[in-house]
Coordinates of all heavy atoms in Angstrom, one line a residue:
P370 N -143.9 24.2 -60.2 CA -142.8 23.2 -59.7 C -142.6 23.5 -58.2 O -142.8 24.5 -57.6 CB -141.6 23.7 -60.6 CG -141.9 25.1 -60.8 CD -143.5 25.3 -60.9
L371 N -142.2 22.3 -57.6 CA -142.1 22.3 -56.1 C -140.9 21.6 -55.7 O -140.6 20.3 -56.3 CB -143.4 21.8 -55.6 CG -143.4 21.7 -54.1 CD1 -143.7 23.0 -53.4 CD2 -144.8 20.8 -53.7
W372 N -140.1 21.9 -54.8 CA -139.0 21.2 -54.1 C -139.5 20.7 -52.7 O -140.3 21.4 -52.1 CB -137.8 22.1 -54.1 CG -137.1 22.2 -55.4 CD1 -137.5 23.0 -56.4 CD2 -135.8 21.8 -55.8 NE1 -136.7 23.1 -57.3 CE2 -135.6 22.3 -57.0 CE3 -135.0 21.0 -55.1 CZ2 -134.4 22.1 -57.6 CZ3 -133.7 20.7 -55.9 CH2 -133.5 21.3 -57.0
I373 N -139.0 19.6 -52.2 CA -139.2 19.2 -50.9 C -137.9 19.1 -50.2 O -137.0 18.3 -50.8 CB -139.9 17.8 -51.0 CG1 -141.3 17.9 -51.6 CG2 -140.1 17.3 -49.4 CD1 -142.1 16.6 -51.7
L374 N -137.8 19.7 -49.1 CA -136.6 19.7 -48.4 C -136.8 18.7 -47.2 O -137.3 19.1 -46.2 CB -136.2 21.2 -47.7 CG -136.1 22.2 -48.8 CD1 -135.8 23.6 -48.1 CD2 -135.0 21.9 -49.8
G375 N -136.3 17.5 -47.4 CA -136.5 16.4 -46.5 C -135.4 16.2 -45.6 O -134.5 17.1 -45.4
D376 N -135.2 15.0 -45.1 CA -134.2 14.7 -44.0 C -132.7 14.8 -44.5 O -132.0 15.2 -43.7 CB -134.4 13.3 -43.5 CG -135.8 13.1 -42.8 OD1 -136.4 14.0 -42.4 OD2 -136.2 12.0 -42.8
V377 N -132.5 14.8 -45.7 CA -131.1 15.0 -46.3 C -130.7 16.5 -45.9 O -129.5 16.6 -45.5 CB -131.0 14.7 -47.7 CG1 -129.7 15.2 -48.3 CG2 -131.0 13.2 -48.0
F378 N -131.7 17.3 -46.1 CA -131.4 18.8 -45.7 C -131.5 19.1 -44.3 O -130.7 19.7 -43.7 CB -132.4 19.6 -46.4 CG -132.4 21.1 -46.3 CD1 -131.5 22.0 -47.1 CD2 -133.0 21.7 -45.3 CE1 -131.3 23.2 -46.8 CE2 -132.9 23.2 -45.0 CZ -132.0 23.9 -45.8
L379 N -132.4 18.3 -43.6 CA -132.8 18.7 -42.2 C -131.8 18.1 -41.3 O -131.7 18.3 -39.9 CB -134.2 18.2 -41.9 CG -135.3 18.9 -42.7 CD1 -136.6 18.4 -42.3 CD2 -135.2 20.4 -42.5
R380 N -131.0 17.2 -41.6 CA -129.9 16.7 -40.8 C -128.8 17.7 -40.7 O -128.0 17.7 -39.5 CB -129.2 15.4 -41.4 CG -130.1 14.2 -41.0 CD -129.3 12.9 -41.3 NE -129.0 12.7 -42.7 CZ -129.8 12.1 -43.6 NH1 -131.0 11.6 -43.2 NH2 -129.5 12.0 -44.9
S381 N -128.6 18.6 -41.7 CA -127.7 19.7 -41.6 C -128.1 20.9 -41.0 O -127.5 21.7 -40.4 CB -127.1 19.9 -42.9 OG -126.4 18.9 -43.4
Y382 N -129.6 21.2 -41.1 CA -130.1 22.4 -40.5 C -131.4 22.1 -39.8 O -132.3 21.6 -40.3 CB -130.5 23.2 -41.8 CG -129.3 23.9 -42.5 CD1 -128.9 23.1 -43.8 CD2 -128.6 24.9 -42.1 CE1 -127.7 23.5 -44.4 CE2 -127.4 25.3 -42.8 CZ -126.9 24.7 -43.8 OH -125.8 25.0 -44.6
V383 N -131.3 22.6 -38.5 CA -132.3 22.3 -37.6 C -133.6 23.2 -38.0 O -133.5 24.4 -38.2 CB -131.9 22.8 -36.1 CG1 -133.1 22.8 -35.2 CG2 -130.8 21.7 -35.6
P384 N -134.8 22.6 -38.2 CA -136.0 23.4 -38.5 C -136.7 23.7 -37.2 O -137.0 22.8 -36.3 CB -136.7 22.4 -39.5 CG -136.4 21.0 -38.9 CD -135.0 21.1 -38.3
V385 N -137.2 24.9 -37.0 CA -138.1 25.2 -36.1 C -139.4 25.7 -36.6 O -139.5 26.7 -37.5 CB -137.6 26.5 -35.1 CG1 -138.6 26.9 -34.1 CG2 -136.2 26.1 -34.5
F386 N -140.5 24.9 -36.4 CA -141.8 25.1 -37.1 C -142.6 25.9 -36.0 O -142.9 25.5 -34.9 CB -142.5 23.8 -37.2 CG -141.7 22.9 -38.3 CD1 -140.8 22.0 -37.8 CD2 -141.9 23.0 -39.6 CE1 -140.0 21.2 -38.6 CE2 -141.2 22.2 -40.5 CZ -140.3 21.4 -40.1
D387 N -143.0 27.1 -36.5 CA -143.9 28.1 -35.6 C -145.2 28.5 -36.3 O -145.2 29.0 -37.3 CB -143.1 29.3 -35.5 CG -143.7 30.3 -34.5 OD1 -144.7 30.1 -34.2 OD2 -143.0 31.4 -34.3
R388 N -146.3 27.8 -35.7 CA -147.6 28.0 -36.3 C -148.1 29.5 -36.1 O -149.0 29.9 -36.8 CB -148.6 27.1 -35.6 CG -148.4 25.7 -36.0 CD -149.2 25.4 -37.3 NE -150.6 25.6 -37.0 CZ -151.5 24.7 -36.5 NH1 -150.9 23.4 -36.2 NH2 -152.7 24.9 -36.3
G389 N -147.5 30.3 -35.2 CA -148.0 31.6 -34.9 C -149.3 31.7 -34.5 O -149.7 30.9 -33.6
N390 N -150.2 32.6 -35.0 CA -151.6 32.7 -34.4 C -152.4 33.1 -35.6 O -151.9 33.4 -36.7 CB -151.7 33.7 -33.2 CG -151.1 35.1 -33.5 OD1 -151.5 35.6 -34.5 ND2 -150.3 35.6 -32.7
M391 N -153.8 33.3 -35.3 CA -154.7 33.6 -36.3 C -154.7 34.9 -36.9 O -155.3 35.2 -38.0 CB -156.1 33.3 -35.9 CG -156.4 31.8 -35.5 SD -156.3 30.7 -36.8 CE -157.7 31.3 -37.8
T392 N -153.9 35.9 -36.3 CA -153.9 37.2 -36.8 C -152.6 37.4 -37.8 O -152.5 38.5 -38.4 CB -153.8 38.3 -35.8 OG1 -152.6 38.1 -35.0 CG2 -155.0 38.1 -34.8
G393 N -151.8 36.4 -38.0 CA -150.7 36.6 -38.7 C -150.4 35.4 -39.5 O -151.2 34.5 -39.8
G394 N -149.1 35.1 -39.7 CA -148.6 34.0 -40.6 C -147.7 33.1 -39.7 O -147.0 33.6 -38.9
A395 N -147.7 31.9 -40.3 CA -146.6 30.9 -39.7 C -145.4 31.1 -40.3 O -145.1 31.7 -41.4 CB -147.2 29.5 -39.8
R396 N -144.4 30.4 -39.6 CA -142.9 30.6 -40.3 C -142.2 29.4 -39.8 O -142.5 28.5 -38.9 CB -142.3 31.8 -39.6 CG -142.2 31.8 -38.3 CD -141.7 33.2 -37.7 NE -141.4 33.1 -36.2 CZ -140.8 34.1 -35.6 NH1 -140.3 35.2 -36.1 NH2 -140.8 34.0 -34.1
V397 N -141.1 29.2 -40.6 CA -140.1 28.2 -40.4 C -138.7 28.8 -40.1 O -138.3 29.5 -40.9 CB -140.0 27.1 -41.5 CG1 -138.9 26.1 -41.3 CG2 -141.3 26.4 -41.8
G398 N -138.1 28.4 -39.0 CA -136.8 28.9 -38.7 C -135.7 27.9 -39.1 O -136.0 26.7 -39.0
L399 N -134.6 28.2 -39.5 CA -133.6 27.2 -39.9 C -132.2 27.8 -39.5 O -131.9 28.9 -39.6 CB -133.4 27.0 -41.5 CG -134.7 26.5 -42.2 CD1 -134.7 26.7 -43.6 CD2 -134.7 25.0 -41.8
A400 N -131.4 26.9 -39.0 CA -130.0 27.2 -38.4 C -129.2 26.0 -38.6 O -129.7 24.8 -38.5 CB -130.1 27.8 -37.1
R401 N -127.9 26.2 -38.7 CA -126.9 25.0 -38.9 C -127.0 24.2 -37.7 O -126.9 24.7 -36.5 CB -125.5 25.5 -39.2 CG -124.5 24.5 -39.5 CD -124.6 24.0 -41.0 NE -124.0 22.8 -41.2 CZ -123.7 22.3 -42.4 NH1 -124.2 22.9 -43.5 NH2 -123.3 21.1 -42.7
A402 N -127.1 22.8 -37.9 CA -127.2 21.9 -36.7 C -125.7 21.9 -36.1 O -124.7 21.8 -36.9 CB -127.6 20.6 -37.2
R403 N -125.6 21.7 -34.8 CA -124.4 21.5 -34.2 C -124.0 20.0 -34.3 O -124.9 19.2 -34.2 CB -124.4 21.9 -32.6 CG -124.6 23.3 -32.5 CD -124.5 23.7 -31.0 NE -124.8 25.1 -30.6 CZ -123.9 26.1 -30.5 NH1 -122.7 25.9 -30.9 NH2 -124.3 27.3 -30.3
S404 N -122.8 19.8 -34.2 CA -122.4 18.3 -34.3 C -122.7 17.8 -32.8 O -122.7 18.7 -31.9 CB -120.9 18.1 -34.5 OG -120.1 18.8 -33.6
R405 N -122.7 16.5 -32.5 CA -123.0 16.0 -31.3 C -121.9 16.4 -30.3 O -122.3 16.7 -29.1 CB -123.0 14.5 -31.5 CG -124.3 13.9 -32.1 CD -124.4 12.4 -32.2 NE -124.0 11.8 -30.9 CZ -125.1 11.4 -30.1 NH1 -126.4 11.7 -30.4 NH2 -124.7 10.8 -29.0
G406 N -120.8 16.4 -30.7 CA -119.6 16.8 -29.8 C -119.7 18.2 -29.4 O -119.4 18.5 -28.2

Side-chain angles (χ1 to χ4, degrees):
L371 182 70
W372 288 69
I373 299 177
L374 304 179
D376 295 336
V377 167
F378 182 85
L379 301 178
R380 279 193 294 274
S381 296
Y382 293 96
V383 167
V385 179
F386 298 90
D387 183 352
R388 284 275 296 274
N390 57 47
M391 294 298 292
T392 64
R396 60 183 181 173
V397 177
L399 294 167
R401 186 80 196 190
R403 293 185 189 272
S404 65
R405 286 176 55 85

